[in-house]
Amino acid sequence: MGRFIYERPGTIEECLKSLKEPGVKKLIAGGTDILVELRAGKEPELEYLLDVSQIKELKGITEAGNKISIKPGTTHSAIGKSALVKEGLKILAEASDTVGSPQIRNAGTLGGSIVTASPASDPTPALIVANGIVTLQSADRGTRHVLIEDFLTKPYKTSMEKDEMLVDITVDNLKEYKMAFVKLGRRKALAIARMNVAVALKLDGEGKVTDARIVPGSAFPVAKRIKAAEDMLLNRIPTEELIEEASNQVAVEMIKVTGIRWSTEYKEPVIKALVKRALKKALEVK
Amino acid sequence: MSIYGEKLDRYKLVGQPTKRLDGEDKVTGRAVYAGDVYLKDMVYGGCKRITEYPAQVKKVNIDKALAIPGVLHIYTCFDAPKKQSWADYHYLTDEVKYCGDVVAIVAATTKELVKEAIEAISVDYELTEGVYTITDALKEDAPIIRKKGVGLKDGVPTEGTKGNIFYDSYFPIRKGDVEQGFKEADVILEREYRVPYIEQAYIEPEACVVYSDAKDGFLTAEASAQNPFFTRRYMADASSLPMKDCRLVQRTLGGSFGGKEEGVGCQVGRAVMLHLALKRPVKMVNTREESMMDSSKRHPFIINYKIGVKKDGSIVALEGTLVDNCGAYNNQTQFMNWRASVHSGGVYEIPNVKTDTYGVYTNNVHSGAMRGYSSPQVIFAEEQLLNEVALELNMDPVELRKKNVLKKGGTTITGQVLTEEVILPEMIEHLLEKANYYKVKAEYEEFNALNKGIKKGISLVTCYRGAGLGAEGADASGAFIQALEDGTFIINTGLAENGQGLQTAFAQIAAEGLGAKMEDVRFYGTDTHAIPDGGMTVASRGTTMGAQSMKTAGIELGVMLKETAAEKLGTTVDKVLNKDSVFTNIETKETVTMADVCVSRLWGGDQMAVYSWHKPKPLPFDHHTGQGKIAFPAYTFNCCIAEVEIDTETGYVDVTKVTSGIDCGTVINPDTVRGQMYGGIAMGQGYGVSEELEVHKGKLGNPNFDSYIFPTSMDMSIMDLVLFESETKEGTYGAKSVGEPATEAVGAAIAGAVSHGLQRPIRTLPCDLERVLLGKSLRPGGDL
């Protein structure tokens, strides 16, 4: 671990001011990712560590019209317990409850998870399903809003500028949707997702799909909605065969992007199974 | 046979659940581990390793590191006072054979400076050719890793030839005539099984603080040492001081399972050198990654069996080659493989046996002791083999086992006639009933016929384990008890509390003979200056063999106390009952307290302490044929039923229930036995479904607990335990081994259950996602 200066800004404004000043800087909220990275020597150039864990404006979950606003400093356990999230986007609550262990969930934050941009993030697929938008703020340029799907550019990379910080995450309230989150790990706790899937479906009175959102995690370099599979479901009744077809399409799309890799032999059949399982779970069919 | 609880009236304290002596300190955080020791002027030590190997080091450049303010001393592999330890391992070496080898050691005022100094050291080296797998090590043109390695001649390791086989680790078993046996067989199967490297994964990484006590000039180490006397040997070796000047104090141990032996020894040796150079206390604490590189692993094995059976299921011949990967250095395989060979035929009566067990040197992390000492590997292989035989014969796998298990009067593959009670057949029946085996099995098979995605499986495994060291070494020990004037006692032994509950069991055994209350007995943790060496705390020998001397000491001192009590009560010794620290005249019901008796003895100038030594009878054994009258004086019989649910779309195996029954002989303390069994099942579950240290070309692919996957509490199955008791003249108060039996059958039973659920043989561990779904691992590691 190198030597760096530790700062603890009290407000967003103070933090932004500090980010504007020269120097290689990183924010720490829960520290569940950055401390691991620092220990592994992955930030050799770091000069300043800005601790945002005490900034009150960065915490909390509120209803904003037909959307839910989650401040980035909110912990995974707070999200898992939130009645608002459970009602409007229960897959985010469920996904948050599968992050690491109780200790990690009590410390780790949703903002931290998004900014770390791990392809195996548990909450990210649920956020993308809900068309999640991040608000980034800088001292000089004010705020800008970016779809999380676009914000994540590569594994462990985002489009955040050096002087920016994440100040809000807004997701659709999907109260009307049927949804499910499925995670496969190597064990039941403290498991990094081998693969996960978040899905949400809206059905009309006849049982036809009017909106479909399918987001696998750990399958693509960055999590994203699989439009080709979603479109298959639109305006149709999700029968066993249709679910199968859409699930297979996710695997086809995965291979299009990643090509055949050492892990494809495993991931191809399993992503199909997990998407199928998630869709069935959402539709409450066996 | 009896179940624990049916014979509780035999003893006063033995067999009773009691409060664990070290429990409160551990759960409240009061316990002081070696890493918690801070001394005035203490500095920190650390190790420089290179990341490529094998290599010949040419130069170690330390000038930059030494220039860092606060960096106090550096020894390199060229100027350290001692390079090779008394055992096979090196404190430092210029011939880097594996990832754990150290080329320089550093002392600095803070941990952070130690790390900076290590990064500032550069090493010039030339890479040499390495060998990593068992298969490669046995190739004729393989580079020779160790000069002492030998080769194969006519398929067996032979002195005078060149190769990578560690000759001292070669143990043959020759019983009957296998050729003839195979001629009599109706079915012959030949199968290969493979098991991976396993890490002990204790919570506390290795740690020590070395200092000199100004009062008496002792060189003292407080360390997380599983075997204090073994570690003292490294102190004397590294310091070149006589043993009288080397004192090793064992701190509370945060788990060991065989792992804190040679690694801790070398760590203490390095700290000793830095301490002597600086004359300041030196602390060394391994990071998790260092711990994973440095500590020994459970040996990976490739096991080839050829088995001959008759149509009725009786086994007539077994041939086997059991080869393990020793790594670059070894001080364990030569002992462990003997145990492997003795148990290479399982717990079955087999007339004709020919097995060869040996280890090979490679440039991998070294293998050593890890709970089981070869048994989890061997049991996995021979029990899967039996499952395959059952399938081939279209026979129920339990019936096949019942047909062949050793019974009283039976002869083991080493030629030992079992003269004591053998309760295994009854244990099997009891466990089948307890787990409702046949009903559950039928239900699972029905379920599997109807369901595609999820499959369920159940499997029973039987095995046995020689208790203690047996003919591997002298299973002797000493114990000391002193009475204090207030009627309390201090007990001391050369064996160590490693988390297994030894303090509590020993206190109970001492108190039984003394007639004292448990809470009046304190266990003095191991200090090598306070008690003679009583052998290592290994081989699940602590209670069964190690406590023999504690029992004798308790009884001897108990008799002396009774004599004084009789005098005070105006009667004879045979009329005095000693229980709960009170002496009662059984005729008059008059009493005197333990304190009264002790104070009388003290002021009367009577003996207040006893030191007792126990050496068991010698066990004649021929290591050339693997035959002998007695390999082990007693055997712990073991039966385990595992149930699993397999997700055939993802390969995920959920262990749903484990029913485990162990022949404890006499249960000394049911709570500690259960603790051992629960922990053993957890470790066995890891072995069965998720654990594998991925070693690829000598490098560790998963050197921390985020990627080395052992079960969490969330993963644990329902655990149903049966504590069986049996009659034996051996073992302290009739106790047998429990620590390793608790884990050795579990992985095999889980694999059997997976095999049952999938209706296909399982020949490798672990049953992880990829192996279950695809039948192979996709990870780059897994070099055996």
Side-chain angles (χ1 to χ4, degrees):
Chain A
M1 204 180 283
R3 288 155 191 266
F4 50 80
I5 294 165
Y6 170 85
E7 281 181 10
R8 198 160 82 187
T11 62
I12 292 176
E13 201 187 334
E14 267 179 51
C15 186
L16 291 175
K17 214 174 128 191
S18 174
L19 281 173
K20 209 181 125 180
E21 303 297 324
V24 181
K25 305 188 176 193
K26 274 251 169 186
L27 304 191
I28 176 169
T32 55
D33 285 323
I34 185 112
L35 289 179
V36 177
E37 286 160 20
L38 287 175
R39 181 178 178 274
K42 286 186 184 161
E43 298 287 345
E45 310 295 325
L46 186 74
E47 292 168 292
Y48 294 87
L49 192 64
L50 308 184
D51 180 355
V52 296
S53 64
Q54 303 304 310
I55 301 178
K56 292 206 177 68
E57 309 153 75
L58 289 178
K59 291 182 203 295
I61 303 167
T62 50
E63 198 158 14
N66 58 349
K67 298 197 182 267
I68 301 168
S69 156
I70 303 169
K71 295 300 172 195
T74 311
T75 62
H76 300 299
S77 48
I79 294 167
K81 287 190 192 95
S82 159
L84 193 56
V85 176
K86 279 187 191 166
E87 198 204 341
L89 189 62
K90 69 168 185 183
I91 49 175
L92 179 60
E94 287 171 12
S96 299
D97 281 342
T98 71
V99 174
S101 62
Q103 296 92 326
I104 290 171
R105 293 194 287 275
N106 287 340
T109 66
L110 183 62
S113 178
I114 296 171
V115 171
T116 297
S118 159
S121 159
D122 288 313
T124 296
L127 295 172
I128 294 175
V129 157
N131 291 328
I133 292 169
V134 289
T135 303
L136 305 163
Q137 194 173 340
S138 63
D140 293 340
R141 300 186 307 286
T143 58
R144 63 179 178 116
H145 308 288
V146 188
L147 259 180
I148 293 177
E149 208 170 334
D150 301 329
F151 180 63
L152 306 171
T153 52
K154 278 185 200 170
Y156 303 100
K157 290 274 183 290
T158 68
S159 64
M160 190 157 68
E161 299 291 335
K162 274 182 186 161
D163 62 343
E164 283 181 324
M165 71 184 282
L166 174 56
V167 295
D168 180 75
I169 301 135
T170 295
V171 292
D172 291 349
N173 187 324
L174 298 180
K175 226 185 304 195
E176 314 292 319
Y177 283 65
K178 292 179 176 296
M179 61 181 86
F181 173 73
V182 172
K183 172 176 174 175
L184 173 69
R186 292 189 182 275
R187 62 183 165 198
K188 291 178 186 166
L190 274 167
I192 296 163
R194 185 78 177 85
M195 273 185 276
N196 55 23
V197 186
V199 300
L201 298 171
K202 196 174 180 188
L203 304 181
D204 65 13
E206 293 169 37
K208 283 187 184 160
V209 176
T210 59
D211 190 13
R213 306 178 186 187
I214 302 174
V215 183
S218 271
F220 291 78
V222 290
K224 57 176 195 165
R225 287 179 58 175
I226 310 301
K227 292 269 164 38
E230 294 174 356
D231 289 347
M232 285 179 160
L233 298 169
L234 285 181
N235 302 315
R236 297 172 71 182
I237 291 172
T239 57
E240 174 89 32
E241 293 73 33
L242 187 59
I243 288 172
E244 184 101 32
E245 231 176 275
S247 305
N248 291 350
Q249 192 60 38
V250 172
V252 170
E253 297 298 315
M254 178 182 80
I255 294 169
K256 268 190 207 164
V257 175
T258 63
I260 303 282
R261 304 170 60 195
W262 63 272
S263 58
T264 309
E265 196 178 350
Y266 179 79
K267 284 194 166 180
E268 187 190 357
V270 176
I271 194 69
K272 282 182 198 169
L274 294 182
V275 174
K276 193 168 73 183
R277 213 170 273 188
L279 289 170
K280 284 183 167 182
K281 188 177 165 195
L283 293 163
E284 295 166 58
V285 292
K286 275 251 167 179
Chain B
M1 183 197 83
S2 57
I3 309 292
Y4 166 76
E6 291 172 2
K7 286 185 178 175
L8 272 184
D9 49 355
R10 282 176 299 176
Y11 304 109
K12 289 171 272 192
L13 265 171
V14 163
Q16 299 294 332
T18 65
K19 202 160 104 177
R20 200 181 156 115
L21 261 56
D22 51 344
E24 225 167 84
D25 286 343
K26 281 178 174 166
V27 297
T28 57
R30 279 198 304 255
V32 177
Y33 296 82
D36 299 329
V37 175
Y38 290 88
L39 298 172
K40 189 168 172 280
D41 296 330
M42 189 176 85
V43 300
Y44 293 84
C47 301
K48 172 74 182 180
R49 294 179 171 92
I50 55 176
T51 53
E52 294 177 295
Y53 25 77
Q56 176 62 53
V57 175
K58 297 291 173 192
K59 193 161 179 269
V60 183
N61 309 296
I62 60 169
D63 294 352
K64 248 173 86 185
L66 274 178
I68 299 170
V71 174
L72 303 173
H73 197 89
I74 298 175
Y75 276 130
T76 74
C77 53
F78 298 110
D79 63 9
K82 198 91 186 181
K83 287 163 64 182
Q84 181 169 0
S85 77
W86 66 272
D88 205 25
Y89 318 95
H90 288 64
Y91 302 114
L92 296 101
T93 180
D94 59 329
E95 286 175 47
V96 173
K97 288 195 166 59
Y98 87 110
C99 63
D101 271 335
V102 172
V103 297
I105 51 176
V106 176
T109 51
T110 68
K111 279 186 279 189
E112 291 74 18
L113 283 171
V114 169
K115 206 177 167 205
E116 272 185 47
I118 288 170
E119 281 163 14
I121 296 172
S122 66
V123 183
D124 304 334
Y125 55 84
E126 275 172 17
L127 288 176
T128 53
E129 206 186 338
V131 174
Y132 305 98
T133 66
I134 292 172
T135 312
D136 287 347
L138 289 173
K139 284 184 182 153
E140 274 192 17
D141 55 348
I144 305 292
I145 303 304
R146 299 293 303 271
K147 287 188 192 91
K148 61 179 172 181
V150 305
L152 291 170
K153 201 173 158 188
D154 303 326
V156 294
T158 307
E159 275 182 301
T161 58
K162 279 279 153 209
N164 284 311
I165 295 167
F166 176 23
Y167 187 71
D168 291 349
S169 75
Y170 170 50
F171 293 96
I173 301 281
R174 299 288 183 266
K175 181 191 177 192
D177 179 352
V178 281
E179 295 310 320
Q180 189 55 40
F182 285 121
K183 275 181 203 156
E184 291 164 22
D186 296 316
V187 171
I188 295 174
L189 287 191
E190 287 185 71
R191 295 289 183 265
E192 181 180 289
Y193 301 93
R194 290 167 177 250
V195 282
Y197 279 103
I198 294 292
E199 157 71 21
Q200 293 86 2
Y202 25 75
I203 295 173
E204 178 211 24
E206 303 78 0
C208 71
V209 180
V210 173
Y211 57 95
S212 295
D213 192 325
K215 183 173 123 288
D216 42 31
F218 289 153
L219 179 64
T220 302
E222 303 202 23
S224 61
Q226 175 177 336
N227 293 303
F229 298 94
F230 181 85
T231 309
R232 179 178 67 179
R233 216 165 280 145
Y234 287 88
M235 289 179 77
D237 179 53
S239 65
S240 298
L241 286 168
M243 280 194 177
K244 73 176 175 64
D245 291 336
C246 299
R247 174 177 173 223
L248 193 294
V249 178
Q250 186 206 35
R251 276 283 154 202
T252 304
L253 213 59
S256 182
F257 313 103
K260 289 173 179 165
E261 298 186 28
E262 48 273 43
V264 169
C266 287
Q267 183 189 53
V268 168
R270 292 173 194 130
V272 161
M273 286 188 253
L274 290 171
H275 163 66
L276 292 176
L278 290 169
K279 305 282 186 278
R280 288 172 75 172
V282 174
K283 176 187 259 188
M284 289 182 96
V285 182
N286 273 346
T287 62
R288 179 61 59 188
E289 289 82 355
E290 287 172 324
S291 170
M292 298 278 265
M293 283 193 289
D294 212 33
S295 73
S296 62
K297 302 289 166 279
R298 178 179 289 163
H299 289 71
F301 266 92
I302 297 178
I303 299 179
N304 277 282
Y305 276 127
K306 179 180 175 187
I307 189 167
V309 288
K310 290 197 168 254
K311 277 192 193 122
D312 69 353
S314 45
I315 305 169
V316 285
L318 179 76
E319 203 173 308
T321 310
L322 299 80
V323 189
D324 46 355
N325 195 327
C326 304
Y329 304 101
N330 228 278
N331 199 34
Q332 297 269 2
T333 316
Q334 65 270 46
F335 304 106
M336 194 200 78
N337 276 1
W338 177 71
R339 180 176 284 277
S341 74
V342 169
H343 294 83
S344 60
V347 62
Y348 306 106
E349 176 100 39
I350 310 173
N352 307 295
V353 181
K354 175 178 181 258
T355 66
D356 289 305
T357 304
Y358 53 89
V360 295
Y361 286 117
T362 65
N363 293 102
N364 286 350
V365 60
H366 61 85
S367 303
M370 157 55 179
R371 199 176 190 178
Y373 217 51
S374 80
S375 63
Q377 300 99 305
V378 175
I379 294 166
F380 163 75
E382 49 88 355
E383 287 298 282
Q384 305 323 304
L385 178 70
L386 252 70
N387 290 340
E388 295 203 39
V389 168
L391 209 64
E392 193 73 26
L393 293 175
N394 200 15
M395 190 173 177
D396 179 77
V398 174
E399 288 306 314
L400 177 66
R401 286 172 172 85
K402 287 205 253 183
K403 177 110 202 152
N404 291 287
V405 288
L406 284 163
K407 298 166 188 79
K408 187 175 174 177
T411 309
T412 71
I413 65 164
T414 60
Q416 178 173 352
V417 179
L418 298 177
T419 54
E420 290 201 314
E421 186 181 14
V422 175
I423 64 169
L424 186 57
E426 296 157 89
M427 284 172 67
I428 294 172
E429 295 303 332
H430 187 93
L431 236 61
L432 288 171
E433 202 171 309
K434 187 104 174 53
N436 215 348
Y437 175 88
Y438 286 106
K439 183 159 177 277
V440 168
K441 190 177 176 219
E443 280 170 12
Y444 285 179
E445 282 167 4
E446 198 186 321
F447 176 93
N448 292 346
L450 296 171
N451 286 276
K452 267 178 83 179
I454 302 290
K455 300 285 179 190
K456 296 182 182 186
I458 184 169
S459 176
L460 174 142
V461 154
T462 55
C463 57
Y464 74 155
R465 178 184 192 86
L469 293 174
E472 177 191 317
D475 218 332
S477 76
F480 179 71
I481 307 181
Q482 78 173 291
L484 305 169
E485 66 201 80
D486 61 353
T488 62
F489 298 86
I490 295 171
I491 65 170
N492 195 354
T493 163
L495 277 86
E497 171 66 61
N498 292 334
Q500 77 280 50
L502 183 133
Q503 290 195 13
T504 311
F506 275 47
Q508 243 171 308
I509 287 161
E512 179 76 33
L514 295 167
K517 284 193 281 198
M518 259 301 271
E519 57 263 40
D520 288 342
V521 181
R522 170 161 294 280
F523 181 95
Y524 182 74
T526 313
D527 173 342
T528 57
H529 264 45
I531 191 87
D533 189 344
M536 304 211 283
T537 309
V538 295
S540 303
R541 70 182 281 263
T543 300
T544 179
M545 295 308 291
Q548 296 274 28
S549 49
M550 189 58 81
K551 175 189 169 188
T552 321
I555 290 171
E556 280 176 23
L557 188 56
V559 168
M560 292 178 199
L561 297 167
K562 250 185 178 179
E563 282 166 3
T564 305
E567 234 170 84
K568 290 176 92 70
L569 292 166
T571 182
T572 51
V573 171
D574 57 313
K575 301 277 168 17
V576 177
L577 173 76
N578 59 346
K579 202 184 168 193
D580 295 334
S581 293
V582 175
F583 296 88
T584 309
N585 181 330
I586 53 175
E587 288 171 343
T588 66
K589 307 292 173 210
E590 271 181 286
T591 62
V592 286
T593 65
M594 186 67 84
D596 290 339
V597 167
C598 287
V599 85
S600 292
R601 287 189 69 86
L602 178 78
W603 297 111
D606 294 316
Q607 186 176 341
M608 292 286 276
V610 163
Y611 178 77
S612 176
W613 186 259
H614 178 85
K615 185 185 175 187
K617 56 184 181 272
L619 306 174
F621 197 88
D622 179 357
H623 284 288
H624 296 291
T625 59
Q627 300 294 299
K629 238 169 136 179
I630 302 172
F632 290 93
Y635 291 88
T636 298
F637 294 90
N638 196 339
C639 188
C640 180
I641 297 174
E643 295 169 53
V644 298
E645 235 178 79
I646 310 146
D647 183 340
T648 59
E649 290 182 328
T650 64
Y652 184 84
V653 175
D654 194 9
V655 182
T656 51
K657 189 176 175 192
V658 173
T659 309
S660 171
I662 293 179
D663 165 19
C664 307
T666 300
V667 172
I668 301 291
N669 186 317
D671 288 349
T672 45
V673 168
R674 287 190 193 104
Q676 287 270 30
M677 289 174 77
Y678 288 131
I681 291 171
M683 282 186 137
Q685 192 173 320
Y687 196 47
V689 301
S690 60
E691 287 185 47
E692 173 186 19
L693 186 68
E694 296 161 25
V695 184
H696 184 56
K697 294 209 180 300
K699 286 189 167 50
L700 308 187
N702 48 352
N704 208 326
F705 292 167
D706 57 338
S707 46
Y708 183 84
I709 307 293
F710 51 78
T712 68
S713 54
M714 299 291 286
D715 296 284
M716 288 314 300
S717 62
I718 293 169
M719 294 179 275
D720 196 4
L721 311 181
V722 186
L723 282 57
F724 292 100
E725 295 197 314
S726 62
E727 293 301 322
T728 168
K729 289 195 294 293
E730 312 290 340
T732 312
Y733 286 111
K736 294 183 176 181
S737 296
V738 171
E740 290 168 293
T743 203
E744 64 188 9
V746 181
I750 290 169
V754 173
S755 168
H756 172 236
L758 294 177
Q759 288 294 301
R760 72 161 201 246
I762 297 294
R763 298 191 184 129
T764 57
L765 284 179
C767 298
D768 62 1
L769 299 175
E770 293 81 2
R771 284 189 179 86
V772 170
L773 192 75
L774 307 171
K776 63 182 181 187
S777 175
L778 290 179
R779 298 198 257 187
D783 286 2
L784 301 185

